Amino acid sequence: MRFIPSAALVLAFAAAAACSDTLTANDTAAPGPTLNWGPAPAIFPAGAQMAVMQGDPSGNALFTIRLKLPDGYKIPPHTHPTDENVTVVSGAFRVGMGTTFDLATASKLDAGGFVVAPANGAHFAAAQGETIVQVHAMGPFAMTYVNPADAPSAGK
């Protein structure tokens, strides 16, 4: 898992903004207040909401989604077949690597924090306070729980 300090991200975004202050025909903009939130797919534990920002998570191309997670929401250890790029939009997100859910080993990411969970690397997460994260990855989106009993479809 690679972490980029929030200050470095702020400087990178500021530099990018200074280079261009207008959108071109190829740009996509999705302001926060107009997002269409709905229940996250059943692959996620109950309680999360999701909004698609760009692309189709079930397709074979890049996609961007936002997840709105209630306080205390937990995602058990799982893997994805592609890198998962996660940016914390608001709240606090605890992310750890490994096959055992252990918040004592997780890193806390506040708004602006960024993490890459590598393809096939087991990781877990939890929200502290209501938290919104943005996930950018290559589709199709897939999630495999390390312990099959943790999968929502297992009856939990």
Side-chain angles (χ1 to χ4, degrees):
M1 185 166 27
R2 293 171 282 177
F3 294 94
I4 296 177
S6 297
L9 283 175
V10 170
L11 291 174
F13 287 139
C19 293
S20 174
D21 59 356
T22 59
L23 294 174
T24 67
N26 294 326
D27 291 332
T28 301
T34 62
L35 295 181
N36 293 317
W37 293 101
I43 192 74
F44 289 95
Q49 293 185 324
M50 187 174 97
V52 176
M53 304 291 291
Q54 171 260 327
D56 176 3
S58 67
N60 290 319
L62 290 173
F63 70 88
T64 306
I65 62 169
R66 285 195 181 170
L67 293 167
K68 187 185 298 185
L69 312 171
D71 182 31
Y73 186 86
K74 295 178 182 171
I75 304 173
H78 62 281
T79 63
H80 305 282
T82 62
D83 287 354
E84 181 182 45
N85 303 284
V86 180
T87 303
V88 180
V89 175
S90 64
F93 199 50
R94 302 284 308 236
V95 180
M97 293 299 290
T99 59
T100 303
F101 190 96
D102 181 4
L103 285 181
T105 65
S107 296
K108 180 182 177 196
L109 303 174
D110 292 314
F114 176 80
V115 64
V116 175
N120 302 310
H123 57 284
F124 57 89
Q128 285 186 255
E130 182 178 83
T131 299
I132 296 176
V133 296
Q134 183 164 293
V135 178
H136 182 74
M138 181 63 77
F141 180 81
M143 194 166 164
T144 302
Y145 288 92
V146 171
N147 179 355
D150 287 336
S153 61
K156 289 199 167 220

Coordinates of all heavy atoms in Angstrom, one line a residue, residues 87-144:
T87 N -9.3 8.1 -2.6 CA -9.1 9.4 -2.0 C -10.2 9.7 -1.0 O -11.4 9.5 -1.3 CB -9.2 10.5 -3.1 OG1 -8.2 10.2 -4.1 CG2 -8.9 11.9 -2.6
V88 N -9.9 10.2 0.2 CA -10.8 10.5 1.2 C -11.4 11.9 0.9 O -10.6 12.9 0.8 CB -10.3 10.5 2.6 CG1 -11.3 10.8 3.6 CG2 -9.7 9.1 2.9
V89 N -12.7 12.1 0.6 CA -13.3 13.3 0.3 C -13.7 14.0 1.6 O -13.5 15.3 1.8 CB -14.5 13.1 -0.6 CG1 -15.3 14.4 -0.8 CG2 -14.1 12.5 -1.9
S90 N -14.3 13.3 2.6 CA -14.6 13.9 3.9 C -14.6 12.8 4.9 O -14.7 11.6 4.6 CB -16.0 14.6 3.8 OG -17.0 13.6 3.5
G91 N -14.5 13.2 6.2 CA -14.5 12.2 7.2 C -13.1 11.7 7.4 O -12.1 12.3 7.0
A92 N -13.0 10.5 8.0 CA -11.7 9.8 8.3 C -11.9 8.3 7.9 O -12.9 7.7 8.2 CB -11.3 9.9 9.7
F93 N -10.9 7.8 7.2 CA -11.0 6.4 6.7 C -9.7 5.7 7.2 O -8.6 6.1 7.1 CB -10.9 6.5 5.2 CG -11.4 5.3 4.5 CD1 -12.6 4.7 4.8 CD2 -10.7 4.7 3.4 CE1 -13.1 3.6 4.1 CE2 -11.1 3.6 2.7 CZ -12.3 3.0 3.1
R94 N -10.0 4.6 7.9 CA -8.9 3.8 8.4 C -8.7 2.6 7.4 O -9.6 1.9 7.1 CB -9.2 3.2 9.8 CG -9.6 4.2 10.9 CD -8.4 4.8 11.5 NE -7.4 3.9 11.9 CZ -6.9 3.8 13.1 NH1 -7.3 4.7 14.0 NH2 -6.0 3.0 13.4
V95 N -7.4 2.5 6.9 CA -7.1 1.5 5.9 C -5.9 0.7 6.4 O -4.9 1.3 6.8 CB -6.8 2.1 4.5 CG1 -6.5 1.1 3.5 CG2 -7.9 3.0 4.1
G96 N -6.0 -0.6 6.3 CA -4.9 -1.5 6.6 C -4.7 -2.6 5.6 O -5.6 -3.0 4.9
M97 N -3.5 -3.1 5.5 CA -3.2 -4.2 4.6 C -3.1 -5.5 5.4 O -2.7 -5.5 6.6 CB -1.8 -3.9 3.9 CG -1.9 -2.8 3.0 SD -3.0 -3.0 1.6 CE -2.2 -4.3 0.7
G98 N -3.5 -6.6 4.8 CA -3.4 -7.9 5.5 C -4.8 -8.6 5.4 O -5.8 -8.1 5.0
T99 N -4.7 -9.8 5.9 CA -5.8 -10.7 5.8 C -6.6 -10.8 7.1 O -7.7 -11.4 7.2 CB -5.4 -12.2 5.5 OG1 -4.5 -12.6 6.5 CG2 -4.7 -12.2 4.1
T100 N -6.2 -10.0 8.1 CA -6.9 -9.9 9.4 C -7.3 -8.5 9.7 O -6.5 -7.6 9.6 CB -6.0 -10.4 10.6 OG1 -5.6 -11.8 10.3 CG2 -6.7 -10.4 11.9
F101 N -8.6 -8.3 10.0 CA -9.1 -7.0 10.3 C -8.5 -6.5 11.7 O -8.9 -7.1 12.7 CB -10.6 -7.0 10.4 CG -11.2 -5.6 10.4 CD1 -11.7 -4.9 9.3 CD2 -11.4 -4.9 11.7 CE1 -12.2 -3.7 9.4 CE2 -11.9 -3.7 11.7 CZ -12.3 -3.0 10.6
D102 N -7.6 -5.6 11.7 CA -7.0 -5.1 12.9 C -6.8 -3.6 12.8 O -5.8 -3.2 12.2 CB -5.7 -5.8 13.1 CG -5.0 -5.4 14.4 OD1 -5.5 -4.6 15.2 OD2 -3.8 -5.9 14.6
L103 N -7.7 -2.8 13.4 CA -7.6 -1.4 13.2 C -6.3 -0.8 13.9 O -5.9 0.3 13.5 CB -8.8 -0.7 13.8 CG -10.1 -0.8 12.9 CD1 -11.2 -0.1 13.6 CD2 -9.8 -0.2 11.5
A104 N -5.7 -1.6 14.8 CA -4.5 -1.1 15.5 C -3.3 -1.0 14.4 O -2.4 -0.2 14.6 CB -4.1 -2.0 16.6
T105 N -3.4 -1.7 13.3 CA -2.4 -1.7 12.3 C -2.8 -0.8 11.1 O -2.0 -0.7 10.2 CB -2.1 -3.1 11.8 OG1 -3.3 -3.6 11.1 CG2 -1.7 -4.1 12.9
A106 N -4.0 -0.3 11.1 CA -4.5 0.5 10.0 C -4.0 2.0 10.1 O -3.7 2.5 11.2 CB -6.0 0.5 10.0
S107 N -3.8 2.6 9.0 CA -3.5 4.0 8.9 C -4.7 4.8 8.8 O -5.7 4.5 8.2 CB -2.6 4.3 7.7 OG -1.4 3.6 7.7
K108 N -4.7 6.0 9.5 CA -5.9 6.9 9.4 C -5.6 7.9 8.3 O -4.6 8.6 8.3 CB -6.1 7.6 10.8 CG -7.3 8.5 10.8 CD -7.4 9.3 12.1 CE -8.6 10.2 12.0 NZ -8.5 11.2 13.1
L109 N -6.6 8.0 7.4 CA -6.5 9.0 6.4 C -7.7 10.0 6.6 O -8.8 9.6 6.6 CB -6.7 8.3 5.0 CG -5.7 7.2 4.6 CD1 -6.0 6.6 3.3 CD2 -4.3 7.8 4.6
D110 N -7.3 11.3 6.7 CA -8.3 12.3 6.8 C -8.6 12.9 5.4 O -8.0 12.4 4.4 CB -7.8 13.5 7.7 CG -7.6 13.0 9.1 OD1 -8.6 12.4 9.7 OD2 -6.6 13.3 9.7
A111 N -9.6 13.8 5.3 CA -10.0 14.4 4.0 C -8.7 14.8 3.3 O -7.8 15.5 3.8 CB -10.9 15.6 4.2
G112 N -8.6 14.4 2.0 CA -7.5 14.7 1.2 C -6.5 13.6 1.1 O -5.6 13.5 0.3
G113 N -6.6 12.6 2.1 CA -5.7 11.5 2.1 C -5.9 10.6 0.9 O -7.0 10.5 0.3
F114 N -4.8 9.9 0.5 CA -4.9 9.0 -0.7 C -4.1 7.7 -0.4 O -3.1 7.7 0.3 CB -4.2 9.8 -1.8 CG -4.1 9.0 -3.1 CD1 -5.2 8.8 -4.0 CD2 -2.9 8.3 -3.5 CE1 -5.1 8.1 -5.1 CE2 -2.8 7.6 -4.6 CZ -3.9 7.5 -5.5
V115 N -4.7 6.6 -0.9 CA -4.0 5.3 -0.8 C -4.2 4.5 -2.1 O -5.3 4.6 -2.7 CB -4.5 4.6 0.5 CG1 -5.9 4.2 0.4 CG2 -3.6 3.3 0.7
V116 N -3.2 3.7 -2.4 CA -3.4 2.8 -3.5 C -3.3 1.4 -2.9 O -2.3 1.0 -2.2 CB -2.3 2.9 -4.6 CG1 -2.4 1.8 -5.6 CG2 -2.4 4.3 -5.2
A117 N -4.4 0.6 -3.0 CA -4.3 -0.8 -2.6 C -4.0 -1.6 -3.9 O -4.8 -1.6 -4.9 CB -5.7 -1.2 -2.1
P118 N -2.9 -2.3 -3.9 CA -2.4 -2.9 -5.1 C -3.3 -4.1 -5.5 O -3.9 -4.7 -4.6 CB -1.0 -3.4 -4.8 CG -0.9 -3.4 -3.3 CD -1.9 -2.4 -2.8
A119 N -3.4 -4.4 -6.8 CA -4.1 -5.6 -7.2 C -3.8 -6.8 -6.4 O -2.6 -7.1 -6.2 CB -3.8 -5.8 -8.7
N120 N -4.8 -7.5 -6.0 CA -4.7 -8.8 -5.3 C -4.1 -8.7 -3.9 O -3.8 -9.7 -3.3 CB -4.0 -9.8 -6.2 CG -4.6 -10.1 -7.5 OD1 -5.8 -10.3 -7.5 ND2 -3.9 -10.0 -8.6
G121 N -3.9 -7.4 -3.5 CA -3.4 -7.2 -2.1 C -4.5 -7.1 -1.1 O -5.4 -6.3 -1.2
A122 N -4.5 -8.0 -0.1 CA -5.6 -8.0 0.9 C -5.5 -6.7 1.7 O -4.5 -6.3 2.1 CB -5.5 -9.2 1.8
H123 N -6.7 -6.1 1.9 CA -6.8 -4.9 2.7 C -8.2 -4.8 3.3 O -9.1 -5.5 2.9 CB -6.5 -3.6 1.8 CG -7.3 -3.5 0.6 ND1 -7.2 -4.2 -0.5 CD2 -8.4 -2.6 0.4 CE1 -8.1 -3.9 -1.4 NE2 -8.8 -2.9 -0.9
F124 N -8.3 -3.9 4.3 CA -9.6 -3.7 5.0 C -9.7 -2.2 5.3 O -8.7 -1.5 5.2 CB -9.6 -4.6 6.3 CG -8.4 -4.3 7.2 CD1 -8.5 -3.3 8.2 CD2 -7.3 -5.0 7.1 CE1 -7.5 -3.1 9.0 CE2 -6.2 -4.8 7.9 CZ -6.3 -3.8 8.9
A125 N -10.9 -1.8 5.7 CA -11.1 -0.4 6.0 C -12.3 -0.2 7.0 O -13.1 -1.1 7.2 CB -11.4 0.3 4.7
A126 N -12.3 1.0 7.6 CA -13.4 1.4 8.4 C -13.6 2.9 8.4 O -12.6 3.6 8.2 CB -13.1 0.9 9.9
A127 N -14.8 3.4 8.6 CA -15.1 4.8 8.6 C -15.1 5.3 10.0 O -15.6 4.6 10.9 CB -16.4 5.1 7.9
Q128 N -14.5 6.5 10.2 CA -14.7 7.2 11.5 C -15.5 8.4 11.3 O -15.0 9.3 10.6 CB -13.3 7.6 12.1 CG -12.5 6.4 12.6 CD -11.2 6.8 13.3 OE1 -10.2 6.6 12.7 NE2 -11.3 7.4 14.4
G129 N -16.7 8.4 11.8 CA -17.6 9.5 11.4 C -18.2 9.2 10.0 O -17.7 8.3 9.4
E130 N -19.2 9.9 9.6 CA -19.7 9.7 8.2 C -18.5 10.1 7.3 O -17.9 11.1 7.5 CB -20.9 10.6 7.9 CG -21.4 10.3 6.5 CD -22.6 11.1 6.1 OE1 -22.4 12.3 5.7 OE2 -23.7 10.6 6.3
T131 N -18.2 9.2 6.4 CA -17.0 9.4 5.5 C -17.4 9.2 4.1 O -18.2 8.3 3.8 CB -16.0 8.3 5.9 OG1 -15.6 8.6 7.3 CG2 -14.7 8.4 5.0
I132 N -16.9 10.0 3.2 CA -17.0 9.8 1.8 C -15.7 9.6 1.2 O -14.7 10.3 1.4 CB -17.7 11.0 1.1 CG1 -19.1 11.2 1.7 CG2 -17.7 10.9 -0.4 CD1 -19.8 12.5 1.2
V133 N -15.5 8.5 0.4 CA -14.3 8.2 -0.3 C -14.6 8.1 -1.8 O -15.7 7.7 -2.2 CB -13.6 6.9 0.2 CG1 -13.2 7.0 1.7 CG2 -14.5 5.7 0.0
Q134 N -13.6 8.4 -2.6 CA -13.7 8.3 -4.0 C -12.7 7.2 -4.4 O -11.6 7.2 -4.1 CB -13.3 9.6 -4.7 CG -13.4 9.6 -6.2 CD -13.4 11.0 -6.8 OE1 -14.4 11.7 -6.6 NE2 -12.4 11.3 -7.5
V135 N -13.3 6.3 -5.2 CA -12.5 5.1 -5.7 C -12.4 5.2 -7.2 O -13.4 5.4 -7.9 CB -13.2 3.8 -5.3 CG1 -12.4 2.6 -5.9 CG2 -13.4 3.7 -3.8
H136 N -11.2 5.1 -7.7 CA -10.9 5.2 -9.1 C -10.1 3.9 -9.5 O -9.1 3.6 -8.8 CB -10.0 6.4 -9.4 CG -9.7 6.6 -10.9 ND1 -10.6 7.1 -11.8 CD2 -8.5 6.5 -11.5 CE1 -10.0 7.1 -13.0 NE2 -8.8 6.8 -12.9
A137 N -10.6 3.2 -10.5 CA -9.9 1.9 -10.8 C -10.3 1.5 -12.2 O -11.2 2.1 -12.9 CB -10.4 0.8 -9.8
M138 N -9.7 0.4 -12.6 CA -10.1 -0.2 -13.9 C -11.1 -1.3 -13.7 O -11.0 -2.1 -12.7 CB -8.8 -0.9 -14.5 CG -9.0 -1.5 -15.9 SD -9.5 -0.3 -17.2 CE -8.0 0.4 -17.5
G139 N -12.2 -1.2 -14.5 CA -13.2 -2.2 -14.3 C -12.9 -3.5 -15.1 O -11.9 -3.6 -15.8
P140 N -13.7 -4.5 -14.9 CA -14.9 -4.5 -14.1 C -14.5 -4.6 -12.6 O -13.6 -5.2 -12.2 CB -15.7 -5.7 -14.5 CG -14.7 -6.6 -15.1 CD -13.5 -5.8 -15.6
F141 N -15.3 -3.8 -11.8 CA -15.1 -3.9 -10.4 C -15.4 -5.2 -9.8 O -16.5 -5.8 -10.1 CB -16.0 -2.8 -9.7 CG -15.8 -2.8 -8.2 CD1 -14.8 -2.1 -7.6 CD2 -16.7 -3.4 -7.3 CE1 -14.6 -2.1 -6.3 CE2 -16.5 -3.4 -6.0 CZ -15.4 -2.7 -5.4
A142 N -14.5 -5.8 -9.0 CA -14.8 -7.1 -8.4 C -14.1 -7.0 -7.0 O -13.2 -6.3 -6.8 CB -14.1 -8.2 -9.2
M143 N -14.7 -7.7 -6.1 CA -14.3 -7.7 -4.7 C -14.4 -9.2 -4.2 O -15.5 -9.7 -4.2 CB -15.2 -6.8 -3.9 CG -14.8 -6.4 -2.6 SD -15.8 -4.9 -2.1 CE -15.6 -4.9 -0.4
T144 N -13.3 -9.7 -3.7 CA -13.3 -11.1 -3.1 C -12.9 -11.0 -1.7 O -11.8 -10.5 -1.3 CB -12.3 -11.9 -3.9 OG1 -12.6 -11.9 -5.3 CG2 -12.3 -13.4 -3.4

